Amino acid sequence: MKRFTMIALMLCVAAPAHAAQWTIDKAKSHLGFSVQWQDHPLRGEFKSWDAKIDFDPADVEHAHSIVNVDVGSLVTGTDEIDQGVKGQQGFDAANYSTATFETTWFRATGNNHYDARGNLTLHGITRGVTLPFKLDITGDTAHMTGTAAVTRTDFRVGMGQWAGENPVAHLVTVIIDLTARKTK
């Protein structure tokens, strides 16, 4: 009996902790980007995206998230630009409809600030990306803001006439403003 109790205790101690699960409040959350277009900032927002988030600030080692973005849901405020960016020389949404970011690790950097490292798959290409973010949790509500720098040509986005730095800069800033409620 002692041996069974010891084995059971060891299994409980060795079992990984489970991070809190969060559900996005889509009405209060935004995912978009900013890029220099003909020497002026161009902002776009993805209207259709979702995320599975498991995160506990006290246990970042077991945190994980995966974000899926419908690149065809992009809006910039100008139909002509939207169609061009979603088209074959841009995101090529007809052939690569989803972009995915899946974390590989998180680390706390101090004062409610964190880094999320993960793999971004866009346009059929996967690259490592680090997303620094700030997280404020009040009760069961979390508010996260962050930006990540991505080089669009690393993902073969904006090739052909857009391959150079002009009219569209290579460096794109991904912008996240997310509100979520703890569900577990």
Side-chain angles (χ1 to χ4, degrees):
M1 184 68 168
K2 257 186 184 178
R3 182 178 174 151
F4 175 76
T5 304
M6 183 62 94
I7 290 171
L9 181 60
M10 287 173 57
L11 287 174
C12 288
V13 169
H18 296 285
Q21 294 178 352
W22 299 86
T23 300
I24 297 170
D25 182 338
K26 292 185 181 187
K28 295 180 180 177
S29 300
H30 304 280
L31 173 63
F33 67 88
S34 178
V35 65
Q36 287 296 112
W37 182 297
Q38 297 179 342
D39 300 321
H40 300 291
L42 172 71
R43 288 185 171 265
E45 182 175 352
F46 297 98
K47 294 297 188 176
S48 180
W49 59 281
D50 204 358
K52 182 180 183 297
I53 303 167
D54 298 317
F55 187 87
D56 181 346
D59 186 18
V60 295
E61 181 180 333
H62 293 100
H64 181 260
S65 68
I66 185 165
V67 180
N68 291 302
V69 181
D70 174 1
V71 296
S73 71
L74 169 72
V75 293
T76 63
T78 305
D79 289 340
E80 185 178 344
I81 292 174
D82 292 355
Q83 294 312 310
V85 174
K86 292 181 217 179
Q88 206 167 24
Q89 288 188 29
F91 286 127
D92 194 6
N95 292 304
Y96 302 101
S97 61
T98 304
T100 302
F101 178 73
E102 183 169 8
T103 59
T104 54
W105 56 256
F106 285 85
R107 74 173 167 214
T109 58
N111 291 336
N112 297 336
H113 287 80
Y114 302 86
D115 285 341
R117 179 71 179 176
N119 292 315
L120 174 61
T121 302
L122 174 63
H123 207 249
I125 298 169
T126 302
R127 299 268 192 261
V129 173
T130 299
L131 169 67
F133 65 95
K134 182 174 191 267
L135 179 67
D136 293 308
I137 299 175
T138 305
D140 287 344
T141 302
H143 182 234
M144 175 246 193
T145 56
T147 60
V150 176
T151 302
R152 65 177 174 82
T153 53
D154 286 351
F155 297 91
R156 299 191 45 80
V157 172
M159 302 313 287
Q161 71 183 24
W162 294 352
E165 282 278 339
N166 195 1
V168 184
H170 286 179
L171 191 63
V172 177
T173 302
V174 177
I175 304 164
I176 300 168
D177 187 336
L178 181 144
T179 299
R181 290 194 76 56
K182 189 185 292 187
T183 55
K184 186 174 169 186

